[in-house]
Amino acid sequence: MDVGRVGIWSIGFRNDDPSAANEIRDAAAELEELGYGAIWLGGSPGVHHAVPLLEATSRIVVATGILNIWEYDAADVADRQKAVSAAYPGRFLLGLGASHPGLVKAYDKPYSAMTRYLDGLDAAGAPSAERVLAALGPRMLELARDRTAGAHPYLVTAEHTARARQVLSPDRLLAPEVKVVLDTDPERARATARQHLGFYIKLPNYTNNLLRLGFTEDDFADGGSDRLVDAVVAWGDVEAVRRRVDAHRDAGADHAALQVLTDDRSGLPRAQWRELATALDLR
């Protein structure tokens, strides 16, 4: 599946408000025209959320980033995936994740839960080559390597990308999410980043991964230290973003899924997407 070198990750495409439908379709079509390789649907989407974007485009891959396995039945997901893949061959990528303690009432042993979920998908005939896992730790990365097309890690550094590539075989997709703030003012850019990071650095799956990368508990205070913010968010001008994308690629990434952060978390920052498209090697 050709996801290109760079894609866009956005919660805005997950909007269920009917009044947003036309803008979502127009934005998807524009991303395709700009040359992006993939659209990643944030906000725990279902397979059905990908259909309007696929209908509005002709080439770009649409991926769930990430479908929460606790919210959707495996057999139903498999049936929907097979139908969408048949209608849009080579253009739908099923991203799966095990969410976090505190966000799911019945949360228990994410690795075992994911293994059972993959068993359910396989039993229903879902294509394993058209799914990826939101894998962070070594065991989940190994599961991604052995039973899917690859991994889509979230909230990571280029160092994590290098470690993930060591676990994944060379032929597996590695598509980290990369946060972006297009603002050259350090104080303002970091403030925007912290507004977004505050939620995520309270979740143990992310903080445990960051601790493995050498950060400390002190780095999680007050929305994140400068060191943490600078490591997980590419802020500055488009050249700063290019350097961060290149760092992930040099570390072994095949694709970077860019999430542009603004004050409107659920919006579609189309002006910034256009600006990035002029500076990055998208395909």
Side-chain angles (χ1 to χ4, degrees), residues 213-255:
L213 292 169
F215 295 97
T216 70
E217 294 290 346
D218 290 342
D219 287 306
F220 307 141
D222 301 320
S225 66
D226 284 356
R227 181 171 81 115
L228 177 62
V229 169
D230 294 352
V232 298
V233 179
W235 62 264
D237 58 15
V238 291
E239 288 305 314
V241 178
R242 175 193 281 276
R243 290 193 296 271
R244 185 64 59 87
V245 170
D246 288 346
H248 279 279
R249 288 194 60 83
D250 291 345
D254 302 295
H255 174 94

mmCIF file of all heavy atoms in Angstrom, residues 213-255:
data_model
loop_
_atom_site.group_PDB
_atom_site.id
_atom_site.type_symbol
_atom_site.label_atom_id
_atom_site.label_comp_id
_atom_site.label_asym_id
_atom_site.label_seq_id
_atom_site.Cartn_x
_atom_site.Cartn_y
_atom_site.Cartn_z
ATOM 1 N N LEU A 213 12.704 6.213 26.984
ATOM 2 C CA LEU A 213 13.545 7.010 26.092
ATOM 3 C C LEU A 213 14.458 7.984 26.849
ATOM 4 O O LEU A 213 15.185 8.750 26.228
ATOM 5 C CB LEU A 213 12.664 7.788 25.112
ATOM 6 C CG LEU A 213 11.913 6.946 24.080
ATOM 7 C CD1 LEU A 213 10.878 7.785 23.345
ATOM 8 C CD2 LEU A 213 12.872 6.309 23.089
ATOM 9 N N GLY A 214 14.398 7.954 28.181
ATOM 10 C CA GLY A 214 15.317 8.769 28.969
ATOM 11 C C GLY A 214 14.729 10.001 29.623
ATOM 12 O O GLY A 214 15.445 10.742 30.305
ATOM 13 N N PHE A 215 13.435 10.249 29.416
ATOM 14 C CA PHE A 215 12.802 11.362 30.103
ATOM 15 C C PHE A 215 12.509 10.957 31.550
ATOM 16 O O PHE A 215 12.546 9.775 31.899
ATOM 17 C CB PHE A 215 11.527 11.786 29.375
ATOM 18 C CG PHE A 215 11.789 12.349 28.002
ATOM 19 C CD1 PHE A 215 11.679 11.550 26.869
ATOM 20 C CD2 PHE A 215 12.175 13.671 27.845
ATOM 21 C CE1 PHE A 215 11.946 12.056 25.606
ATOM 22 C CE2 PHE A 215 12.441 14.191 26.584
ATOM 23 C CZ PHE A 215 12.325 13.381 25.459
ATOM 24 N N THR A 216 12.204 11.946 32.388
ATOM 25 C CA THR A 216 11.931 11.691 33.789
ATOM 26 C C THR A 216 10.548 12.208 34.151
ATOM 27 O O THR A 216 9.910 12.920 33.361
ATOM 28 C CB THR A 216 12.979 12.370 34.684
ATOM 29 O OG1 THR A 216 12.789 13.803 34.624
ATOM 30 C CG2 THR A 216 14.403 12.041 34.228
ATOM 31 N N GLU A 217 10.109 11.873 35.359
ATOM 32 C CA GLU A 217 8.807 12.357 35.819
ATOM 33 C C GLU A 217 8.753 13.880 35.809
ATOM 34 O O GLU A 217 7.691 14.467 35.579
ATOM 35 C CB GLU A 217 8.521 11.824 37.223
ATOM 36 C CG GLU A 217 8.345 10.310 37.299
ATOM 37 C CD GLU A 217 7.071 9.808 36.654
ATOM 38 O OE1 GLU A 217 6.178 10.656 36.369
ATOM 39 O OE2 GLU A 217 6.953 8.594 36.428
ATOM 40 N N ASP A 218 9.869 14.523 36.064
ATOM 41 C CA ASP A 218 9.896 15.990 36.057
ATOM 42 C C ASP A 218 9.532 16.561 34.685
ATOM 43 O O ASP A 218 9.005 17.675 34.589
ATOM 44 C CB ASP A 218 11.283 16.498 36.465
ATOM 45 C CG ASP A 218 11.577 16.250 37.940
ATOM 46 O OD1 ASP A 218 10.623 16.019 38.707
ATOM 47 O OD2 ASP A 218 12.772 16.277 38.306
ATOM 48 N N ASP A 219 9.818 15.801 33.628
ATOM 49 C CA ASP A 219 9.519 16.276 32.278
ATOM 50 C C ASP A 219 8.021 16.315 31.994
ATOM 51 O O ASP A 219 7.590 16.934 31.012
ATOM 52 C CB ASP A 219 10.204 15.385 31.237
ATOM 53 C CG ASP A 219 11.704 15.611 31.177
ATOM 54 O OD1 ASP A 219 12.113 16.765 31.012
ATOM 55 O OD2 ASP A 219 12.456 14.623 31.316
ATOM 56 N N PHE A 220 7.204 15.663 32.848
ATOM 57 C CA PHE A 220 5.764 15.601 32.601
ATOM 58 C C PHE A 220 4.991 16.670 33.370
ATOM 59 O O PHE A 220 3.760 16.756 33.236
ATOM 60 C CB PHE A 220 5.221 14.214 32.977
ATOM 61 C CG PHE A 220 5.958 13.077 32.315
ATOM 62 C CD1 PHE A 220 6.213 11.905 33.009
ATOM 63 C CD2 PHE A 220 6.395 13.185 31.010
ATOM 64 C CE1 PHE A 220 6.881 10.854 32.404
ATOM 65 C CE2 PHE A 220 7.075 12.142 30.388
ATOM 66 C CZ PHE A 220 7.322 10.978 31.086
ATOM 67 N N ALA A 221 5.668 17.467 34.157
ATOM 68 C CA ALA A 221 4.989 18.492 34.952
ATOM 69 C C ALA A 221 4.621 19.705 34.097
ATOM 70 O O ALA A 221 5.318 20.037 33.127
ATOM 71 C CB ALA A 221 5.890 18.927 36.107
ATOM 72 N N ASP A 222 3.512 20.344 34.453
ATOM 73 C CA ASP A 222 3.101 21.622 33.851
ATOM 74 C C ASP A 222 2.998 21.567 32.327
ATOM 75 O O ASP A 222 3.412 22.497 31.629
ATOM 76 C CB ASP A 222 4.087 22.726 34.263
ATOM 77 C CG ASP A 222 4.161 22.882 35.779
ATOM 78 O OD1 ASP A 222 3.108 22.796 36.429
ATOM 79 O OD2 ASP A 222 5.281 23.076 36.298
ATOM 80 N N GLY A 223 2.465 20.464 31.823
ATOM 81 C CA GLY A 223 2.270 20.351 30.381
ATOM 82 C C GLY A 223 3.490 19.903 29.611
ATOM 83 O O GLY A 223 3.444 19.792 28.384
ATOM 84 N N GLY A 224 4.583 19.649 30.317
ATOM 85 C CA GLY A 224 5.791 19.160 29.659
ATOM 86 C C GLY A 224 6.934 20.154 29.723
ATOM 87 O O GLY A 224 6.752 21.353 29.506
ATOM 88 N N SER A 225 8.125 19.661 30.037
ATOM 89 C CA SER A 225 9.316 20.504 30.073
ATOM 90 C C SER A 225 9.680 20.967 28.670
ATOM 91 O O SER A 225 9.227 20.395 27.666
ATOM 92 C CB SER A 225 10.489 19.713 30.661
ATOM 93 O OG SER A 225 10.848 18.639 29.790
ATOM 94 N N ASP A 226 10.515 21.991 28.591
ATOM 95 C CA ASP A 226 11.005 22.433 27.279
ATOM 96 C C ASP A 226 11.694 21.269 26.563
ATOM 97 O O ASP A 226 11.547 21.112 25.345
ATOM 98 C CB ASP A 226 12.000 23.585 27.442
ATOM 99 C CG ASP A 226 11.312 24.911 27.752
ATOM 100 O OD1 ASP A 226 10.062 24.959 27.768
ATOM 101 O OD2 ASP A 226 12.034 25.901 27.979
ATOM 102 N N ARG A 227 12.450 20.482 27.314
ATOM 103 C CA ARG A 227 13.159 19.349 26.707
ATOM 104 C C ARG A 227 12.186 18.368 26.069
ATOM 105 O O ARG A 227 12.394 17.921 24.925
ATOM 106 C CB ARG A 227 14.000 18.644 27.773
ATOM 107 C CG ARG A 227 14.804 17.453 27.248
ATOM 108 C CD ARG A 227 15.772 16.943 28.304
ATOM 109 N NE ARG A 227 15.141 16.075 29.264
ATOM 110 C CZ ARG A 227 15.439 14.771 29.410
ATOM 111 N NH1 ARG A 227 16.340 14.204 28.634
ATOM 112 N NH2 ARG A 227 14.844 14.049 30.337
ATOM 113 N N LEU A 228 11.104 18.053 26.767
ATOM 114 C CA LEU A 228 10.120 17.126 26.224
ATOM 115 C C LEU A 228 9.389 17.736 25.038
ATOM 116 O O LEU A 228 9.250 17.093 23.987
ATOM 117 C CB LEU A 228 9.118 16.737 27.311
ATOM 118 C CG LEU A 228 7.973 15.825 26.859
ATOM 119 C CD1 LEU A 228 8.513 14.495 26.363
ATOM 120 C CD2 LEU A 228 6.972 15.620 27.990
ATOM 121 N N VAL A 229 8.926 18.965 25.198
ATOM 122 C CA VAL A 229 8.198 19.628 24.115
ATOM 123 C C VAL A 229 9.047 19.672 22.844
ATOM 124 O O VAL A 229 8.579 19.339 21.750
ATOM 125 C CB VAL A 229 7.771 21.043 24.533
ATOM 126 C CG1 VAL A 229 7.257 21.831 23.326
ATOM 127 C CG2 VAL A 229 6.704 20.984 25.616
ATOM 128 N N ASP A 230 10.290 20.061 22.990
ATOM 129 C CA ASP A 230 11.159 20.197 21.820
ATOM 130 C C ASP A 230 11.453 18.849 21.166
ATOM 131 O O ASP A 230 11.717 18.780 19.960
ATOM 132 C CB ASP A 230 12.474 20.873 22.211
ATOM 133 C CG ASP A 230 12.282 22.313 22.664
ATOM 134 O OD1 ASP A 230 11.158 22.842 22.525
ATOM 135 O OD2 ASP A 230 13.256 22.910 23.171
ATOM 136 N N ALA A 231 11.388 17.770 21.960
ATOM 137 C CA ALA A 231 11.691 16.441 21.423
ATOM 138 C C ALA A 231 10.513 15.818 20.683
ATOM 139 O O ALA A 231 10.708 15.066 19.725
ATOM 140 C CB ALA A 231 12.138 15.511 22.549
ATOM 141 N N VAL A 232 9.287 16.130 21.110
ATOM 142 C CA VAL A 232 8.126 15.461 20.518
ATOM 143 C C VAL A 232 7.295 16.367 19.623
ATOM 144 O O VAL A 232 6.351 15.904 18.978
ATOM 145 C CB VAL A 232 7.223 14.833 21.606
ATOM 146 C CG1 VAL A 232 7.977 13.771 22.386
ATOM 147 C CG2 VAL A 232 6.645 15.891 22.535
ATOM 148 N N VAL A 233 7.639 17.646 19.560
ATOM 149 C CA VAL A 233 6.912 18.587 18.706
ATOM 150 C C VAL A 233 7.901 19.338 17.822
ATOM 151 O O VAL A 233 8.862 19.932 18.314
ATOM 152 C CB VAL A 233 6.091 19.597 19.537
ATOM 153 C CG1 VAL A 233 5.370 20.576 18.614
ATOM 154 C CG2 VAL A 233 5.102 18.879 20.440
ATOM 155 N N ALA A 234 7.650 19.306 16.527
ATOM 156 C CA ALA A 234 8.471 20.069 15.584
ATOM 157 C C ALA A 234 7.869 21.459 15.462
ATOM 158 O O ALA A 234 6.874 21.649 14.777
ATOM 159 C CB ALA A 234 8.501 19.376 14.231
ATOM 160 N N TRP A 235 8.449 22.428 16.168
ATOM 161 C CA TRP A 235 7.914 23.780 16.097
ATOM 162 C C TRP A 235 8.922 24.690 15.402
ATOM 163 O O TRP A 235 10.113 24.456 15.410
ATOM 164 C CB TRP A 235 7.536 24.311 17.479
ATOM 165 C CG TRP A 235 8.656 24.444 18.488
ATOM 166 C CD1 TRP A 235 9.009 23.547 19.451
ATOM 167 C CD2 TRP A 235 9.563 25.547 18.621
ATOM 168 N NE1 TRP A 235 10.081 24.007 20.182
ATOM 169 C CE2 TRP A 235 10.436 25.238 19.697
ATOM 170 C CE3 TRP A 235 9.709 26.752 17.947
ATOM 171 C CZ2 TRP A 235 11.446 26.107 20.103
ATOM 172 C CZ3 TRP A 235 10.722 27.614 18.348
ATOM 173 C CH2 TRP A 235 11.573 27.297 19.419
ATOM 174 N N GLY A 236 8.385 25.742 14.801
ATOM 175 C CA GLY A 236 9.222 26.674 14.048
ATOM 176 C C GLY A 236 8.658 26.879 12.660
ATOM 177 O O GLY A 236 7.450 26.803 12.447
ATOM 178 N N ASP A 237 9.542 27.120 11.693
ATOM 179 C CA ASP A 237 9.092 27.310 10.318
ATOM 180 C C ASP A 237 9.060 25.971 9.592
ATOM 181 O O ASP A 237 9.330 24.911 10.175
ATOM 182 C CB ASP A 237 9.987 28.316 9.596
ATOM 183 C CG ASP A 237 11.456 27.898 9.576
ATOM 184 O OD1 ASP A 237 11.764 26.716 9.869
ATOM 185 O OD2 ASP A 237 12.304 28.749 9.257
ATOM 186 N N VAL A 238 8.738 26.011 8.307
ATOM 187 C CA VAL A 238 8.610 24.760 7.552
ATOM 188 C C VAL A 238 9.940 24.027 7.448
ATOM 189 O O VAL A 238 9.973 22.792 7.366
ATOM 190 C CB VAL A 238 8.025 25.022 6.147
ATOM 191 C CG1 VAL A 238 6.567 25.435 6.243
ATOM 192 C CG2 VAL A 238 8.841 26.049 5.386
ATOM 193 N N GLU A 239 11.049 24.752 7.490
ATOM 194 C CA GLU A 239 12.355 24.086 7.436
ATOM 195 C C GLU A 239 12.609 23.300 8.708
ATOM 196 O O GLU A 239 13.245 22.237 8.678
ATOM 197 C CB GLU A 239 13.466 25.109 7.196
ATOM 198 C CG GLU A 239 13.477 25.659 5.785
ATOM 199 C CD GLU A 239 13.553 24.556 4.733
ATOM 200 O OE1 GLU A 239 14.388 23.632 4.894
ATOM 201 O OE2 GLU A 239 12.776 24.608 3.757
ATOM 202 N N ALA A 240 12.123 23.800 9.847
ATOM 203 C CA ALA A 240 12.248 23.053 11.102
ATOM 204 C C ALA A 240 11.457 21.753 11.019
ATOM 205 O O ALA A 240 11.909 20.709 11.515
ATOM 206 C CB ALA A 240 11.763 23.902 12.263
ATOM 207 N N VAL A 241 10.290 21.817 10.396
ATOM 208 C CA VAL A 241 9.485 20.612 10.225
ATOM 209 C C VAL A 241 10.183 19.645 9.271
ATOM 210 O O VAL A 241 10.231 18.429 9.509
ATOM 211 C CB VAL A 241 8.089 20.967 9.706
ATOM 212 C CG1 VAL A 241 7.261 19.699 9.478
ATOM 213 C CG2 VAL A 241 7.381 21.899 10.683
ATOM 214 N N ARG A 242 10.755 20.178 8.204
ATOM 215 C CA ARG A 242 11.481 19.329 7.265
ATOM 216 C C ARG A 242 12.618 18.585 7.971
ATOM 217 O O ARG A 242 12.816 17.382 7.765
ATOM 218 C CB ARG A 242 12.039 20.161 6.115
ATOM 219 C CG ARG A 242 12.924 19.351 5.159
ATOM 220 C CD ARG A 242 13.712 20.254 4.224
ATOM 221 N NE ARG A 242 12.896 20.725 3.125
ATOM 222 C CZ ARG A 242 12.680 20.037 2.005
ATOM 223 N NH1 ARG A 242 13.229 18.848 1.853
ATOM 224 N NH2 ARG A 242 11.945 20.541 1.051
ATOM 225 N N ARG A 243 13.340 19.295 8.828
ATOM 226 C CA ARG A 243 14.444 18.656 9.545
ATOM 227 C C ARG A 243 13.950 17.531 10.454
ATOM 228 O O ARG A 243 14.595 16.482 10.550
ATOM 229 C CB ARG A 243 15.224 19.699 10.350
ATOM 230 C CG ARG A 243 16.036 20.666 9.498
ATOM 231 C CD ARG A 243 17.015 21.460 10.335
ATOM 232 N NE ARG A 243 16.340 22.337 11.299
ATOM 233 C CZ ARG A 243 15.973 23.581 11.030
ATOM 234 N NH1 ARG A 243 16.196 24.106 9.820
ATOM 235 N NH2 ARG A 243 15.374 24.327 11.954
ATOM 236 N N ARG A 244 12.803 17.752 11.096
ATOM 237 C CA ARG A 244 12.280 16.705 11.975
ATOM 238 C C ARG A 244 11.810 15.495 11.170
ATOM 239 O O ARG A 244 12.042 14.343 11.567
ATOM 240 C CB ARG A 244 11.133 17.258 12.819
ATOM 241 C CG ARG A 244 10.598 16.268 13.869
ATOM 242 C CD ARG A 244 11.649 15.916 14.919
ATOM 243 N NE ARG A 244 12.116 17.091 15.605
ATOM 244 C CZ ARG A 244 11.526 17.609 16.684
ATOM 245 N NH1 ARG A 244 10.457 17.044 17.201
ATOM 246 N NH2 ARG A 244 12.027 18.686 17.257
ATOM 247 N N VAL A 245 11.130 15.735 10.064
ATOM 248 C CA VAL A 245 10.716 14.628 9.199
ATOM 249 C C VAL A 245 11.940 13.861 8.710
ATOM 250 O O VAL A 245 11.964 12.624 8.715
ATOM 251 C CB VAL A 245 9.880 15.145 8.016
ATOM 252 C CG1 VAL A 245 9.648 14.038 6.988
ATOM 253 C CG2 VAL A 245 8.535 15.690 8.510
ATOM 254 N N ASP A 246 12.980 14.595 8.311
ATOM 255 C CA ASP A 246 14.207 13.943 7.856
ATOM 256 C C ASP A 246 14.849 13.127 8.972
ATOM 257 O O ASP A 246 15.417 12.047 8.723
ATOM 258 C CB ASP A 246 15.206 14.983 7.343
ATOM 259 C CG ASP A 246 14.802 15.588 6.005
ATOM 260 O OD1 ASP A 246 13.903 15.026 5.345
ATOM 261 O OD2 ASP A 246 15.374 16.630 5.624
ATOM 262 N N ALA A 247 14.764 13.625 10.212
ATOM 263 C CA ALA A 247 15.339 12.885 11.345
ATOM 264 C C ALA A 247 14.626 11.553 11.528
ATOM 265 O O ALA A 247 15.272 10.513 11.783
ATOM 266 C CB ALA A 247 15.248 13.724 12.612
ATOM 267 N N HIS A 248 13.312 11.548 11.401
ATOM 268 C CA HIS A 248 12.570 10.291 11.506
ATOM 269 C C HIS A 248 12.893 9.368 10.342
ATOM 270 O O HIS A 248 13.056 8.146 10.537
ATOM 271 C CB HIS A 248 11.065 10.568 11.564
ATOM 272 C CG HIS A 248 10.575 10.957 12.928
ATOM 273 N ND1 HIS A 248 10.316 10.039 13.918
ATOM 274 C CD2 HIS A 248 10.295 12.175 13.469
ATOM 275 C CE1 HIS A 248 9.897 10.670 15.008
ATOM 276 N NE2 HIS A 248 9.880 11.962 14.761
ATOM 277 N N ARG A 249 13.005 9.920 9.162
ATOM 278 C CA ARG A 249 13.343 9.086 8.001
ATOM 279 C C ARG A 249 14.750 8.515 8.145
ATOM 280 O O ARG A 249 14.985 7.337 7.836
ATOM 281 C CB ARG A 249 13.212 9.891 6.710
ATOM 282 C CG ARG A 249 11.769 10.200 6.323
ATOM 283 C CD ARG A 249 11.675 10.704 4.883
ATOM 284 N NE ARG A 249 12.179 9.726 3.950
ATOM 285 C CZ ARG A 249 11.477 8.707 3.471
ATOM 286 N NH1 ARG A 249 10.229 8.530 3.858
ATOM 287 N NH2 ARG A 249 11.994 7.865 2.604
ATOM 288 N N ASP A 250 15.687 9.317 8.600
ATOM 289 C CA ASP A 250 17.046 8.821 8.805
ATOM 290 C C ASP A 250 17.079 7.722 9.867
ATOM 291 O O ASP A 250 17.954 6.843 9.832
ATOM 292 C CB ASP A 250 17.977 9.965 9.227
ATOM 293 C CG ASP A 250 18.230 10.966 8.108
ATOM 294 O OD1 ASP A 250 17.936 10.641 6.942
ATOM 295 O OD2 ASP A 250 18.702 12.078 8.409
ATOM 296 N N ALA A 251 16.131 7.772 10.800
ATOM 297 C CA ALA A 251 16.064 6.770 11.862
ATOM 298 C C ALA A 251 15.345 5.495 11.417
ATOM 299 O O ALA A 251 15.317 4.516 12.171
ATOM 300 C CB ALA A 251 15.366 7.358 13.081
ATOM 301 N N GLY A 252 14.744 5.519 10.231
ATOM 302 C CA GLY A 252 14.119 4.304 9.720
ATOM 303 C C GLY A 252 12.652 4.407 9.380
ATOM 304 O O GLY A 252 12.043 3.412 8.977
ATOM 305 N N ALA A 253 12.047 5.585 9.511
ATOM 306 C CA ALA A 253 10.628 5.747 9.173
ATOM 307 C C ALA A 253 10.432 5.716 7.660
ATOM 308 O O ALA A 253 11.246 6.244 6.905
ATOM 309 C CB ALA A 253 10.085 7.047 9.736
ATOM 310 N N ASP A 254 9.343 5.115 7.234
ATOM 311 C CA ASP A 254 8.950 5.138 5.826
ATOM 312 C C ASP A 254 8.052 6.327 5.516
ATOM 313 O O ASP A 254 8.014 6.810 4.381
ATOM 314 C CB ASP A 254 8.173 3.858 5.478
ATOM 315 C CG ASP A 254 8.959 2.599 5.761
ATOM 316 O OD1 ASP A 254 9.988 2.387 5.109
ATOM 317 O OD2 ASP A 254 8.546 1.837 6.658
ATOM 318 N N HIS A 255 7.341 6.781 6.540
ATOM 319 C CA HIS A 255 6.271 7.763 6.353
ATOM 320 C C HIS A 255 6.136 8.563 7.635
ATOM 321 O O HIS A 255 6.288 8.015 8.740
ATOM 322 C CB HIS A 255 4.963 7.007 6.052
ATOM 323 C CG HIS A 255 3.728 7.852 5.976
ATOM 324 N ND1 HIS A 255 3.236 8.349 4.793
ATOM 325 C CD2 HIS A 255 2.855 8.261 6.934
ATOM 326 C CE1 HIS A 255 2.115 9.028 5.031
ATOM 327 N NE2 HIS A 255 1.870 8.988 6.323
#
